[in-house]
């Protein structure tokens, strides 16, 4: 059975697209069609931005009582929760995400984010009266920044859309979202939930399309802010455009994070925790710790433990609740990951496990869990983001060298430190140049800022900091 949508969700309703171009959704496991949706055109983006502009400027959404905005977000959460099974299965079918992870993130976490920002909208003061050392007061006002252009990737399409929708709407903004053509069916389910929740017309609009459409949206004169999650290469281009336009931008980009296994770590606990830290969504996760830093005194032991754990993972249909590694999102992406594996071999790394496609699976875009040892941190597989189930084990001597190797990267998004001594692990964690890092685990906290340093991005998502990025400040001096 395939699912077909014929209209776009713009200005609070379903409207006919301006062209007959379509985006096909393909099952990552069977390589068979799942359905299709309209591909938006520049004219459709114009309509969507104008709808958002009108909603922000004229509908009263931007100035409505925060309690009313919170109620709208909670209705949206309710409508999304009702569709959780449909939504999570849709994502897993399209990009290969194991259903257990999809249920946790694309279902539960997305709903939790909407409720979190609903509560934050009502508890955040938008005006603060500050005494001046000059003898008078200043009123500092926070107001919504305006119309937001949001571009969302294919790897966590629902939760990454909500990380933009929830704080933007809580702040009083209107938003135009461009989902990736790699995962589009879920965005229409989100739109149906927004319609049921009676989100005011024009406050949320969806325009599915490719890179060219995204570039058009980013540079649109009706946009006040851009929020992007995706590759560092695309983020640089967006940053250039936004810099020229003097347009605020949040960029959550790539990573090549390190898991620092200290010499006193319990390897059983390490391998238990590395599944999410290093292999979540088949390695298709921006903050994945794919560089495994192992002490020379225990190097062979770590390689053996990592390899044994990786070889035990169940590879297969992402809709099977017991599956731990599903297919990659597309044939093109699988080819890219296989190219990195070939590069690892060519540059002298020792292939310990995997390195190809699973022998017992004859269709679907699968790559077997792969482990390289004797990896030089300067090599391609240690420096570039692979975005697949490929781990590189790198040797170090002493905590200082481990930190130096971890920091020897263009990226700085995630990371983890593993030790039986929590204070020692905390000391190491503080010295790693990254936006987020876990101690003996890695769990993203929706109440804390998430984002990167260096080539991993600009700005933060999650927490109060995300809502602040959708607001602008005004100082009203009161010298009288």
């Amino acid at each position: 059975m395939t699912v077909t949508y014929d209209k776009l969700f713009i200005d609070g309703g379903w409207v006919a697209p301006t062209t007959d171009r379509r985006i096909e959704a393909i099952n990552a496991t069977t390589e068979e069609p799942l359905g299709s949706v309209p591909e938006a055109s520049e004219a459709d983006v114009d309509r969507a931005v104008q709808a958002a502009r009108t909603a922000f400027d004229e509908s009263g959404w931007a100035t409505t009582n925060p309690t009313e905005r919170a109620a709208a977000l909670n209705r949206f959460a309710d409508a999304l929760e009702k569709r959780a099974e449909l939504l999570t299965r849709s994502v897993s079918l399209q990009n290969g995400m194991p259903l257990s992870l999809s249920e946790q993130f694309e279902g539960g976490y997305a709903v939790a984010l909407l409720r979190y920002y609903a509560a934050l909208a009502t508890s955040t003061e938008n005006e603060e009266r500050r005494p001046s050392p000059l003898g008078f007061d200043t009123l500092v006002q926070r107001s919504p920044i305006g119309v937001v252009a949001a571009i969302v990737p294919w790897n966590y399409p629902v939760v990454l859309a909500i990380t933009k929708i929830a704080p933007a709407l809580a702040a009083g903004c209107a938003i135009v979202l461009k989902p990736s053509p790699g995962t589009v069916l879920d965005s229409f389910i989100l739109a149906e939930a927004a319609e049921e929740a009676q989100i005011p017309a024009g406050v949320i609009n969806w325009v599915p399309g490719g890179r060219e459409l995204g570039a058009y949206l980013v540079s649109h004169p009706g946009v006040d802010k851009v929020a992007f999650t995706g590759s560092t290469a695309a983020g640089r281009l967006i940053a250039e455009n936004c810099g020229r336009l003097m347009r605020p931008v949040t960029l959550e980009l790539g990573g090549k994070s390190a898991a620092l296994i200290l010499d006193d770590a319990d390897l059983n606990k390490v391998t238990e925790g590395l599944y999410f830290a290093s292999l979540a969504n088949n390695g298709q996760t921006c903050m994945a710790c794919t560089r495994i830093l192992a002490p020379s005194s225990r190097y062979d032991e770590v390689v053996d433990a990592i390899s044994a754990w990786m070889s035990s993972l169940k590879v297969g249909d992402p809709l099977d609740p017991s599956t731990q590694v599903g297919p990659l999102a597309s044939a093109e992406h699988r080819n890219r990951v296989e190219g990195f594996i070939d590069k690892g071999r060519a540059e002298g790394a020792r292939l310990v496990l995997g390195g190809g496609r699973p022998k017992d699976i004859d269709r679907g875009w699968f790559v077997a869990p792969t482990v390289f040892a004797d990896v030089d941190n300067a090599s391609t597989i240690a420096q570039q983001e692979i975005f697949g189930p490929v781990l590189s084990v790198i040797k170090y001597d002493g905590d200082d060298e481990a930190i130096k190797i971890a920091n020897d990267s263009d990226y700085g998004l995630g990371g983890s430190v593993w030790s039986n001594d929590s204070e020692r692990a905390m000391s190491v964690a503080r010295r790693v140049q990254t936006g987020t890092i876990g101690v003996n685990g890695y769990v993203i906290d929706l109440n804390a800022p998430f984002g990167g340093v260096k080539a991993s991005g600009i700005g933060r998502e999650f927490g109060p900091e995300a809502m602040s990025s959708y607001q602008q400040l005004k100082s009203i001096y009161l010298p009288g």
Side-chain angles (χ1 to χ4, degrees):
M1 179 180 176
T2 60
V3 179
T4 301
Y5 290 92
D6 294 319
K7 295 183 177 181
L8 300 171
F9 191 80
I10 295 174
D11 202 17
W14 297 95
V15 301
T18 57
T19 74
D20 58 2
R21 296 194 303 270
R22 300 191 65 78
I23 299 171
E24 302 292 329
I26 305 296
N27 188 319
T29 305
T30 67
E31 304 180 42
E32 296 173 351
L34 287 170
S36 66
V37 305
E39 180 180 352
S41 68
E42 291 183 358
D44 295 318
V45 170
D46 291 340
R47 285 196 296 177
V49 173
Q50 183 56 56
R53 185 84 265 160
T54 300
F56 182 78
D57 291 340
E58 301 176 18
S59 75
W61 172 256
T63 57
T64 192
N65 189 298
T67 302
E68 294 180 30
R69 292 203 295 272
L73 286 171
N74 279 319
R75 291 195 304 270
F76 193 9
D78 291 341
L80 207 58
E81 200 164 29
K82 285 165 52 177
R83 293 165 171 80
E85 182 178 358
L86 177 63
L87 198 60
T88 56
R89 287 177 62 88
S90 173
V91 171
S92 292
L93 288 168
Q94 292 175 93
N95 72 6
M97 184 186 299
L99 186 62
S100 58
L101 184 69
S102 186
E103 289 172 342
Q104 179 183 356
F105 274 81
E106 303 295 84
Y109 211 86
V111 170
L113 275 168
L114 286 167
R115 299 204 192 284
Y116 171 81
Y117 283 104
L120 199 62
T122 59
S123 64
T124 302
E125 294 292 336
N126 289 325
E127 290 188 345
E128 175 193 356
R129 197 176 182 108
R130 296 184 188 175
S132 167
L134 300 177
F136 59 88
D137 287 353
T138 295
L139 190 69
V140 179
Q141 180 191 56
R142 292 179 177 269
S143 59
I145 204 165
V147 172
V148 176
I151 300 178
V152 180
W154 49 259
N155 60 328
Y156 291 86
V158 177
V159 77
L160 291 175
I162 299 300
T163 60
K164 295 157 181 57
I165 292 170
L169 267 61
C173 297
I175 191 166
V176 178
L177 284 104
K178 189 205 78 68
S180 166
T183 45
V184 287
L185 299 180
D186 45 277
S187 62
F188 284 75
I189 300 169
L190 280 178
E192 291 170 346
E195 182 181 35
E196 180 183 316
Q198 299 181 329
I199 303 296
V203 170
I204 315 179
N205 310 270
W206 277 268
V207 285
R211 294 177 182 176
E212 294 80 7
L213 194 74
Y216 183 75
L217 175 60
V218 164
S219 61
H220 200 286
V223 166
D224 299 303
K225 174 189 165 68
V226 174
F228 171 78
T229 300
S231 72
T232 294
R236 291 186 194 279
L237 295 175
I238 290 170
E240 289 176 10
N241 280 330
C242 290
R244 185 177 64 256
L245 296 167
M246 300 297 288
R247 183 166 292 171
V249 61
T250 299
L251 301 170
E252 198 268 278
L253 308 177
K256 192 67 184 180
S257 303
L260 292 79
I261 301 176
L262 304 189
D263 57 18
D264 66 341
D266 182 334
L267 295 185
N268 289 325
K269 292 181 179 179
V270 171
T271 53
E272 287 174 8
L274 278 182
Y275 177 72
F276 181 76
S278 298
L279 279 187
N281 196 15
N282 319 319
Q284 299 174 139
T285 300
C286 53
M287 52 40 169
C289 298
T290 55
R291 289 186 296 153
I292 310 299
L293 275 52
S296 59
S297 61
R298 300 182 67 189
Y299 186 77
D300 291 341
E301 184 185 357
V302 171
V303 170
D304 290 345
I306 296 294
S307 301
W309 161 63
M310 289 276 278
S311 67
S312 73
L313 299 175
K314 181 175 179 181
V315 180
D317 183 350
L319 296 187
D320 181 341
S322 66
T323 291
Q324 295 165 290
V325 179
L328 300 185
S330 68
E332 179 185 12
H333 184 54
R334 179 183 60 184
N335 292 341
R336 179 179 179 275
V337 171
E338 289 176 332
F340 277 111
I341 292 172
D342 292 342
K343 192 76 169 176
R345 286 193 182 101
E347 292 185 351
R350 174 166 57 96
L351 182 66
V352 180
L353 180 73
R357 302 176 187 182
K359 292 181 174 59
D360 57 344
I361 300 176
D362 58 5
R363 64 174 178 172
W365 300 311
F366 289 89
V367 171
T370 297
V371 177
F372 280 102
D374 304 333
V375 177
D376 187 325
N377 193 57
S379 67
T380 300
I381 60 171
Q383 288 295 317
Q384 294 189 25
E385 186 175 41
I386 298 175
F387 229 56
V390 182
L391 303 184
S392 298
V393 188
I394 301 168
K395 186 182 296 185
Y396 73 85
D397 287 300
D399 292 0
D400 288 346
E401 186 179 21
I403 294 163
K404 181 179 179 181
I405 292 172
N407 292 339
D408 183 14
S409 171
D410 290 338
Y411 298 103
L413 183 57
S416 56
V417 184
W418 305 83
S419 171
N420 278 336
D421 183 338
S422 60
E423 287 302 314
R424 178 186 176 195
M426 284 289 292
S427 177
V428 170
R430 289 188 175 100
R431 296 171 60 193
V432 178
Q433 297 166 1
T434 186
T436 67
I437 191 165
V439 172
N440 292 324
Y442 187 95
V443 181
I444 296 173
D445 178 8
L446 56 80
N447 191 39
F450 175 88
V453 299
K454 299 189 281 188
S456 289
I458 298 171
R460 294 294 182 267
E461 296 189 307
F462 300 122
E465 291 80 4
M467 194 170 100
S468 295
S469 75
Y470 293 95
Q471 296 173 318
Q472 54 192 356
L473 299 173
K474 178 191 289 185
S475 293
I476 303 174
Y477 306 126
L478 305 170

